[in-house]
């Protein structure tokens, strides 16, 4: 009887009117209105497509059905959808006026209307319709026994046309399945540009039929075949995503120069002791693939005609693999050291009236524009390419900020004012492992800007950048997701959508649902913890990981030499993520407790402190059979010690010497252990100082 | 101080002499001797290779270093190993006399010798050396702070030359990354044949350039490109594994006939009412890709010359993709219904003096032998191909058993006696989700056999078969692993290695280590449970999954129509696995308790019973927000009810009516809920009857 009552009650509360605050849509749509009522899902649910869409809609609808079926276990009758108007009386009707193109400024809008017995998605293009299907999936609700959609009406379109994610396939090679599952993740949060960083000091990753040396000598056997690249481009296109390849030149050139040292800038001065006195010869320097992280000097020689011959020939082979309109040529972090020390290059500068290395690089970059134009491609480069003589056709990718000694996104504004189209990545460096709030509060459009409308229009959008010095295929998803979903919202939704509490609540569900796409950001944790604990029961380790975060910025690999490209990334720091989950809960609990010292508020804080004392004991025991736990013990001991003292303090059982507390507290602020930091330090400090 | 003592103690016990019983090697080596002492691992550990190996050894050694580094976090200095004798003074010296070939009867032996400061692996071939590296990885030990190898000497070689795993890529398409991670798993337990079932009623999975219709009409877009196939073959070869492709004919022919209905056997009899009375016309029947599971009638027409033209042309395109010597042509489960009803085929039989459909099929199969021989391939077929006129060059794949109304592996003995080489799969059908013991106790060599030595020699080995009606890329690993490691031991190790307790203990560690290869058999569980629980904390669900097993044999999909190829496989039964972990513990506890009713033994049993009462309450609560939990409640309720009664009985607090107990018990034997069964039923029954 009790049993029945619970169910009835659950049914009643679940069927009540849904409020917008209950929805977990991300990015939040431009317009949404809810009405009372539901569309109940059944086994007979079917989809019908009309209009003149691109065939990607069939793949999208079939995937939509499988995902919805996987969530609900309803065993839909409809299997593969392969044609127009297959089920005219279907409950979900999708109409696309025309086939969408995978290019900027394409119409991505959609109108989603859910009534009690019919759902319609109307869109100009199939790309818009796919966005509508993602929104519909995010609208799924349930009570205790059934699944349904709330009756509602959503009209939606993006704020920016460039909503990108960059993945670096060079530092650590990321196989095609990693790329594809991340494309699925992107599509699910309506991102539309995949920037594929394919070449860097650590490797050349594109199969080259005419220049096989690049693969043979500069890839360690880890590269994308041309067929794989085409399959990624197709996979992306099927999801409404444009692929922008990057070959980074003239700096970050070690891989290219490992195969073609003759176009490098470095000269080796040989003092010949025999023969004429003081005679010097220069000879070609040899290069080896870089194994460390950092900025390195190997740079292409802009004075050598062979450099342009090779690049032109490379573009001739690579460009046809990418039907999109853009090609990223990098252009960043060229320090020009090897240019300065090369007499031939110095002579070349004089001859061409190039006063600085910047001007020399501009000369270099300008040679690439016609090579790309030949293939109908526009050139994009990191902000360093923007010098006074740079073509206005180039797109400027803004990445520097306070870290690099300039104000955040300065080049974005400079570019827009200077007549360049531009994209913002400063503030979206997800590899720095900052919390989601740090990225969410950055807007591609500067606040209170004095830019004119024409200048504003040149800001195409933004791009999250996932550099891969410190990730492997197993861990990369946990660095990209779920934070990138918040960045996607920044690019798509109205600028006024900024509530961080709403974001966190929605992100929790969005993150969970991303897993159905094959992303491993949540489930990879367990396997890594099992390795660290040496297959012992590891609740204590999990608890610690939920309050620790990997060291931020590049401090985990400060000099770039602690972790090399083949170093193990199976450690505790690799398990930990930004926005450590228990730390968020604890920090909120401490704030509540200090604002209002009720028993309930106190209890949550005390429970955590007790948990951490016990956790340290358990870790100690586990460490007897797990060497990889040893480096964590000093940190868990510090936390346990301060927890003991704080309990005494909170329970007012004992007066604690402030200096003892401070000393213990500061041990919790250490960044010396296992490449992680305690994300509860600030809250502990508040408790100490309260 | 306590802290220090614990560590000292741990060091002492860990450095003590290791016994064979402590090692978790699988398959167990032919000869192993341990001596007192250890080889300690440090950051400076390096490998050197000498001799004349195939280049696969460089890939193998580099992967070995990365895996060892990932386990130990030692940050080895050695990165990529690419050449011979790179580090002459390395601690691990590998010598291979000659390059290994990927073929049967290749020398796979190795001699591994570990002393306090040097390790050597000596092998005739690199394939043997790779096996030695896998054994070395399995020998890794640790104390609380360091990792080491026990000083020891192992000489090892396989018992059978065919140690196979079949994966069906047709029923559910398994992308290349799934195949590759399973090849890594195979190599880690020294399996050497990957049988790739590429064609069946549900799909044709090979890219065909000359017959694109097979892909366009019969693959749903899910197929392996020829480049992917080559990359799988290369990947396998780098791991010492031979790939044997299968195109299943003449039965299981729906996919082929969907593209080429003109070579099908089915005739459609049209009664023409207009025109001459009684006139009948036959016309080509059209076929559609099969979406259900089962045995279907679509069969190639053996009387049609076009059938052979097409097959010959298909083999011409497919054979060169597979450099190995064997080609599997299926040949199973052809019921001949469409042959019986086709007058043209009946006529053909008469004309060729073919008395039965078996003889007709033999006629058909014999036509394929020269087509394959042309490409230097030998024909393998499922046991149905073995009829009196079948060529002795064919290899017989024995699969039928008591389920099919014959004694287990009867055809294996018949084949060996009949002069055929043969492979055993009966007893190794891992898709039936039986417990590991069921497979481990089956030996390819019949017990107490009267076979002559020559006949015995024709038994090449065995093969585990993973049919994919009820698995997806997300769940397949949990159906293959870890049980296949036990089967691998059966194929490699001495026939006397049969201790099931030793097996279970070792399997626990082997299973854990398989994850480092990218296999997901353990970690996929969490994501699936999260979906079922609708992102709620799911300990109760996990607890239930650890005592439930999916319905065995094919009873989960009895008529073959409950689950279609696009049905959701994200349900509770998909999370559950054979050898449910808590059930094993509980079953042992009950046995112990009933043998010896000590308080300690009783306590374990009681703890479980209490846990299951609480679990049911928690599941009830969770189900308020998780429709997918509803189907589990009747089963958890039954378990909770009997647990309550058993507690009363054990605690002797109350005399329980036996009929009440029996009734409650039988509810726990139900197979009606959520496609699972309670793996603790037998132990509950023992407690009831005690």
């Amino acid at each position: 009887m009790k049993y029945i009552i619970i169910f009835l009650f659950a049914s009643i509360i679940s069927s009540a009117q849904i409020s917008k605050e209950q929805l977990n849509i991300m990015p939040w749509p431009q317009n949404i209105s809810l009405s009372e009522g539901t569309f109940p899902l059944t086994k007979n649910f079917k989809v019908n497509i009309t209009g003149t869409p691109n065939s990607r809609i069939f793949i999208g609808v079939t995937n939509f059905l499988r995902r919805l079926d996987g969530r609900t276990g309803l065993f839909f009758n409809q299997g593969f959808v392969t044609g127009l108007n297959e089920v005219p009386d279907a409950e979900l009707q999708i109409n696309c006026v025309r086939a969408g193109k995978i290019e900027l400024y394409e119409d991505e809008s959609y109108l989603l209307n859910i009534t009690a017995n019919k759902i319609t998605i109307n869109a100009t293009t199939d790309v818009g319709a796919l966005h509508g299907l993602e929104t519909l999936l995010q609208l799924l609700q349930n009570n205790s026994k059934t699944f349904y959609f709330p009756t509602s009406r959503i009209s939606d379109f993006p704020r920016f046309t460039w909503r990108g994610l960059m993945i670096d396939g060079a530092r650590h090679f990321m196989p095609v399945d990693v790329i594809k599952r991340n494309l699925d993740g992107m599509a699910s949060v309506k991102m539309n540009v995949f920037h594929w960083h394919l070449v860097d000091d650590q490797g050349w990753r594109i199969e080259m039929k005419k220049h096989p040396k690049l693969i043979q000598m500069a890839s360690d056997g880890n590269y994308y075949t041309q067929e794989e690249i085409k399959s990624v481009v197709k996979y992306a296109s099927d999801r409404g995503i444009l692929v922008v390849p990057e070959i980074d030149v003239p700096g970050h050139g070690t891989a290219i120069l490992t195969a073609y040292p003759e176009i490098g800038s470095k000269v080796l001065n040989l003092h010949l002791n025999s023969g004429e006195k003081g005679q010097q010869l220069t000879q070609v320097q040899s290069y080896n693939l870089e194994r460390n992280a950092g900025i390195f000097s190997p740079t292409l020689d802009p004075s050598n005609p062979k450099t342009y011959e090779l690049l032109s020939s490379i573009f001739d082979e690579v460009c046809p693999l990418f039907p999109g309109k853009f090609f990223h040529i990098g252009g960043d972090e060229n320090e020009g050291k090897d240019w300065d020390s090369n007499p031939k290059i110095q002579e070349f500068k004089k001859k061409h009236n190039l006063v600085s290395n910047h001007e020399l690089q501009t000369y270099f970059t300008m040679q690439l524009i016609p090579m790309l134009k030949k293939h109908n491609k526009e050139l994009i480069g990191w902000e360093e390419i923007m010098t006074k003589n740079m073509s206005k056709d180039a797109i400027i990718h803004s990445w520097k900020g306070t870290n690099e000694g300039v104000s955040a996104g300065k080049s974005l504004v400079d570019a827009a004012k200077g007549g360049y189209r531009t994209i913002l990545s400063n503030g979206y460096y997800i590899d720095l492992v900052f919390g989601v709030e740090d990225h969410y509060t950055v807007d591609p459009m500067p606040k209170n800007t004095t830019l004119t409308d024409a200048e504003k229009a040149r800001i195409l959008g933004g791009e999250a950048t996932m550099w891969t010095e410190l990730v492997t295929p197993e861990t990369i998803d946990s660095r990209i997701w779920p934070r990138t979903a918040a960045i996607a919202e920044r690019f798509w939704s109205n600028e006024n959508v900024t509530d961080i509490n709403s974001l966190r609540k929605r992100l929790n569900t969005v993150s969970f649902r991303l897993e159905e796409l094959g992303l491993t950001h949540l489930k990879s944790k367990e396997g890594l913890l099992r390795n660290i604990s040496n297959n012992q029961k590891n609740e204590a380790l999990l608890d610690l990981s939920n309050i620790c975060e990997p060291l931020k910025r590049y401090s985990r690999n400060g000099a770039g030499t602690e972790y090399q490209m083949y170093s193990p990334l199976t450690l505790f720091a690799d398990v930990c993520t930004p926005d450590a989950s228990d730390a968020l809960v604890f920090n909120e609990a401490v704030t509540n407790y200090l604002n209002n010292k009720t028993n309930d508020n106190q209890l949550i804080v005390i429970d955590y402190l007790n948990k951490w004392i016990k956790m340290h004991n358990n870790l100690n025991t586990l460490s007897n059979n797990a060497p990889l736990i040893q480096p964590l013990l000093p940190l868990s001991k510090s936390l346990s010690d301060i927890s003991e003292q704080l309990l005494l303090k909170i329970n007012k059982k004992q007066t604690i010497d402030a200096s003892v507390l401070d000393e213990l507290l500061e041990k919790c602020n250490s960044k010396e252990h296992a490449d992680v930091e305690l994300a509860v330090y600030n809250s502990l400090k508040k408790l100490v100082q309260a």
Side-chain angles (χ1 to χ4, degrees), chain A:
Chain A
M1 185 58 198
K2 202 173 79 183
Y3 193 67
I4 292 168
I5 288 172
I6 289 172
F7 279 167
L8 277 177
F9 182 63
S11 275
I12 290 161
I13 49 164
S14 306
S15 296
Q17 171 64 13
I18 296 276
S19 71
K20 286 186 194 177
E21 289 67 33
Q22 284 173 268
L23 298 176
N24 294 309
I25 312 178
M26 188 174 299
W28 193 255
Q30 301 289 349
N31 303 290
I32 174 167
S33 65
L34 291 166
S35 52
E36 207 164 328
T38 63
F39 173 99
L41 258 179
T42 72
K43 185 181 172 55
N44 294 316
F45 178 78
K46 289 195 184 64
V47 191
N48 190 51
I49 305 163
T50 55
T52 320
N54 178 286
S55 65
R56 70 173 62 90
I57 195 69
F58 303 121
I59 296 168
V61 166
T62 302
N63 288 344
F64 164 86
L65 281 167
R66 297 292 79 76
R67 286 162 67 192
L68 196 56
D69 215 6
R71 293 182 188 186
T72 61
L74 284 169
F75 287 73
F76 291 148
N77 291 317
Q78 197 173 17
F80 294 83
V81 179
T82 56
L84 292 175
N85 222 13
E86 284 181 343
V87 200
D89 64 344
E91 292 86 350
L92 169 54
Q93 294 285 336
I94 299 173
N95 185 272
C96 309
V97 177
R98 61 171 175 80
K101 291 181 191 143
I102 304 303
E103 59 185 28
L104 293 193
Y105 303 113
E106 176 55 294
D107 188 329
E108 298 183 79
S109 68
Y110 66 92
L111 188 67
L112 168 64
N113 195 27
I114 304 174
T115 68
N117 51 18
K118 203 91 178 173
I119 303 174
T120 56
I121 294 177
N122 285 298
T124 308
T125 71
D126 41 81
V127 177
L130 292 178
H131 293 322
L133 285 169
E134 295 293 347
T135 301
L136 184 56
L137 280 167
Q138 293 183 339
L139 280 167
L140 183 68
Q141 307 293 316
N142 65 275
N143 51 35
S144 64
K145 293 201 171 164
T146 64
F147 292 92
Y148 60 92
F149 297 113
T151 55
S152 51
R153 193 178 164 82
I154 291 175
S155 79
D156 202 9
F157 53 87
R159 180 172 165 226
F160 292 103
T161 189
W162 190 293
R163 306 179 306 280
L165 169 66
M166 187 212 78
I167 293 180
D168 171 6
R171 287 347 187 291
H172 276 89
F173 181 66
M174 295 293 149
V176 165
D177 56 309
V178 176
I179 302 297
K180 286 185 175 172
R181 71 190 186 216
N182 276 286
L183 287 168
D184 278 314
M186 288 175 68
S188 77
V189 292
K190 304 184 174 65
M191 297 181 95
N192 69 336
V193 177
F194 170 52
H195 169 184
W196 203 356
H197 185 81
L198 286 160
V199 174
D200 216 301
D201 295 298
Q202 293 81 0
W204 176 281
R205 305 299 180 202
I206 312 165
E207 179 191 23
M208 298 298 290
K209 295 184 175 168
K210 288 185 190 145
H211 303 280
K213 277 207 286 181
L214 285 164
I215 288 308
Q216 289 156 6
M217 303 177 67
S219 79
D220 298 313
N222 291 321
Y223 60 88
Y224 304 103
T225 68
Q226 296 195 2
E227 182 181 290
E228 284 176 330
I229 289 172
K230 286 180 200 165
S231 88
V232 165
V233 168
K234 165 77 162 59
Y235 198 87
S237 167
D238 285 342
R239 283 145 186 85
I241 295 171
L242 172 74
V243 181
V244 177
E246 177 181 351
I247 294 178
D248 200 349
V249 285
H252 289 272
T254 313
I256 300 175
L257 297 179
T258 297
Y260 293 96
E262 61 271 26
I263 63 163
S265 302
K266 176 97 174 170
V267 284
L268 199 66
N269 292 316
L270 296 178
H271 293 266
L272 295 184
N273 290 326
S274 61
E276 286 167 71
K277 222 179 179 179
Q279 183 191 350
Q280 288 200 354
L281 281 178
T282 58
Q283 73 168 38
V284 169
Q285 164 79 328
S286 75
Y287 298 81
N288 290 306
L289 269 193
E290 187 55 56
R291 303 303 188 188
N292 293 310
I295 303 172
F296 304 99
S297 55
T299 308
L300 274 54
D301 180 356
S303 73
N304 188 342
K306 279 188 191 162
T307 301
Y308 302 106
E309 280 165 32
L310 180 70
L311 287 177
S312 179
S313 165
I314 284 174
F315 287 137
D316 286 348
E317 187 166 351
V318 175
C319 282
L321 302 174
F322 297 94
K325 211 175 166 183
F326 304 99
F327 205 107
H328 204 302
I329 59 88
D332 57 319
E333 298 183 323
N334 168 28
E335 296 186 322
K337 280 184 203 161
D338 289 355
W339 289 355
D340 291 339
S341 60
N342 184 324
K344 202 166 65 70
I345 293 176
Q346 291 307 312
E347 206 177 296
F348 183 87
K349 274 170 78 175
K350 268 186 213 150
K351 188 178 146 195
H352 287 81
N353 269 324
L354 302 165
V355 178
S356 65
N357 283 341
H358 267 163
E359 289 191 11
L360 178 56
Q361 185 167 338
T362 303
Y363 172 90
F364 168 86
T365 310
M366 292 296 286
Q367 310 307 306
L368 309 187
I369 291 179
M371 296 179 196
L372 294 170
K373 201 157 208 167
K374 174 179 165 192
H375 297 285
N376 236 332
K377 297 267 186 287
E378 298 178 16
L379 181 146
I380 309 182
W382 300 102
E383 63 181 76
E384 286 94 326
I385 70 161
M386 181 172 57
T387 50
K388 65 177 174 174
N389 292 321
M390 180 49 55
S391 161
K392 301 294 181 196
D393 288 338
I395 297 179
I396 308 302
H397 196 158
S398 173
W399 70 276
K400 292 189 179 180
T402 45
N403 250 356
E404 292 76 24
V406 297
S407 62
K410 177 180 181 302
S411 62
L412 187 87
V413 173
D414 291 348
K417 283 186 178 163
Y420 296 96
R421 290 166 299 167
T422 183
I423 308 152
L424 184 65
S425 275
N426 182 270
Y428 307 125
Y429 267 50
I430 47 180
D431 63 319
L432 299 177
V433 285
F434 285 113
V436 66
E437 194 167 357
D438 288 313
H439 304 300
Y440 192 59
T441 50
V442 175
D443 198 305
M445 192 59 66
K447 302 251 156 70
N448 309 315
T449 179
T450 58
L451 292 177
T452 65
D453 283 353
E455 288 163 350
K456 283 181 185 169
R458 292 192 195 110
I459 296 177
L460 303 179
E463 205 178 277
T465 51
M466 184 64 232
W467 302 102
T468 57
E469 282 90 346
L470 288 183
V471 292
T472 62
E474 195 170 8
T475 60
I476 188 171
D477 295 357
S478 74
R479 281 17 185 180
I480 299 177
W481 306 105
R483 291 175 303 152
T484 295
I487 296 174
E489 174 158 289
R490 180 57 51 242
F491 299 159
W492 176 284
S493 304
N494 189 287
E495 63 187 308
N496 300 326
V497 177
T498 54
D499 185 314
I500 188 76
N501 291 325
S502 161
L503 174 82
R504 286 197 195 282
K505 185 207 70 119
R506 288 179 290 132
L507 204 52
N508 190 35
T509 298
V510 167
S511 180
F512 149 56
R513 288 301 185 195
L514 280 165
E515 279 199 308
E516 85 189 355
L517 301 165
L519 289 164
T520 64
H521 56 298
L522 299 175
K523 58 191 162 203
S524 68
K525 195 164 181 165
E526 190 193 325
L528 290 164
L529 287 178
R530 195 151 32 227
N531 186 52
I532 295 166
S533 71
N534 198 14
N535 207 24
Q536 298 176 92
K537 295 237 177 220
N538 53 32
E539 286 85 352
L541 203 53
L542 180 63
D543 285 341
L544 183 63
S545 76
N546 285 335
I547 52 169
C548 285
E549 296 182 359
L551 294 184
K552 296 180 200 321
R553 290 207 178 78
Y554 296 123
S555 49
R556 184 174 167 191
N557 194 20
T561 55
E562 185 185 344
Y563 288 84
Q564 293 168 307
M565 291 312 128
Y566 43 76
S567 297
L569 288 162
T570 52
L571 307 177
F572 187 68
D574 301 297
V575 178
C576 297
T577 64
D579 303 302
S581 59
D582 272 1
L584 291 173
V585 177
F586 180 72
N587 296 342
E588 193 187 341
V590 168
T591 303
N592 291 343
Y593 167 64
L594 294 179
N595 283 339
N596 187 1
K597 294 191 174 169
T598 63
N599 276 346
D600 281 359
N601 283 340
Q602 181 175 307
L603 197 62
I604 304 177
V605 174
I606 285 179
D607 279 353
Y608 267 109
L609 298 175
N610 278 317
K611 179 180 181 175
W612 294 332
I613 295 167
K614 199 173 155 201
M615 173 183 82
H616 176 62
N617 286 332
N618 290 340
L619 285 173
N620 242 329
T621 307
L622 285 179
S623 74
N624 288 333
N625 187 26
L628 290 179
I629 290 182
Q630 297 293 341
L632 317 177
L633 294 178
L635 202 60
S636 75
K637 169 128 193 355
S638 300
L639 179 61
S640 176
D641 289 347
I642 190 94
S643 295
E644 280 180 1
Q645 297 300 317
L646 284 171
L647 281 173
L648 292 175
K649 180 178 161 157
I650 290 170
N651 293 327
K652 298 195 176 72
K653 288 210 173 128
Q654 208 175 307
T655 314
I656 315 292
D657 182 339
S659 69
V660 170
L661 266 183
D662 285 345
E663 195 185 326
L664 289 175
L665 176 68
E666 282 320 300
K667 284 189 177 168
C668 292
N669 196 23
S670 171
K671 294 176 173 49
E672 300 304 311
H673 305 297
D675 291 346
V676 298
E677 60 188 48
L678 273 177
V680 293
Y681 165 74
N682 284 327
S683 293
L684 294 172
K685 190 171 181 177
K686 285 183 198 166
L687 289 173
V688 165
Q689 294 174 346

